Amino acid sequence: MTAGVLFVCLGNICRSPTAHAVFQEMVNANGLGEHIRVDSAGTGDWHIGRAPDARATAAAAQRGYDLAPLRARQIEAADFEHFDFIMVMDRNNLRDLQPLRPAHFRGELGLFLNHAKRFPEREVPDPYYGDGDAFEHVLDLVEDAAVGLLEAVVLHCGLQAVRR
Ligand code: 4NP
């Protein structure tokens, strides 16, 4: 069984592309690329087609993640048909997605940081108007939650032991 994981934020140029690249890296490192599809989208339409924010790209590159090939897109109703885990960065994202959620959706729509283990925060703060530290904090939170999310997805798919 395969699973689709979609990360969602407001602009799809800072937080969700960061989560996309970090989670994809973890999926690849565990040899699960054939089983888990990863994507990201924004609730807003301002940055459609644009590359991720240069500050997010630079901070991620320092930790070995490549955001450069990603391009922003806006979430659409059909995403609820194609993804099993729709992971939002904050409660505003969740509020914006509720009207798009079809009654038959059986996946998990929720806060990505519900899967965090080390950090108590449940929202990834928007770093867009922040400084460099804001982007480091996004990475810290995302790396933490990605570990827990991968465990949940592996369980969902009935996949075997994760390779490290
Ligand atoms: P993101 O950050 O939601 O993490 O991609 C933002 C990017 C752009 C804007 C807001 C947040 N904006 O207002 O343009």
Side-chain angles (χ1 to χ4, degrees), residues 79-94:
D79 286 318
F80 281 89
E81 313 299 333
H82 302 138
F83 293 94
D84 307 284
F85 290 81
I86 300 184
M87 297 282 93
V88 303
M89 299 298 138
D90 61 36
R91 292 186 176 87
N92 287 336
N93 306 148
L94 200 53

Side-chain angles (χ1 to χ4, degrees), residues 9-17 46-47 126-129:
C9 64
L10 178 60
N12 193 209
I13 57 168
C14 297
R15 293 166 294 174
S16 61
W46 312 286
H47 302 287
D126 186 347
Y128 192 63
Y129 296 105

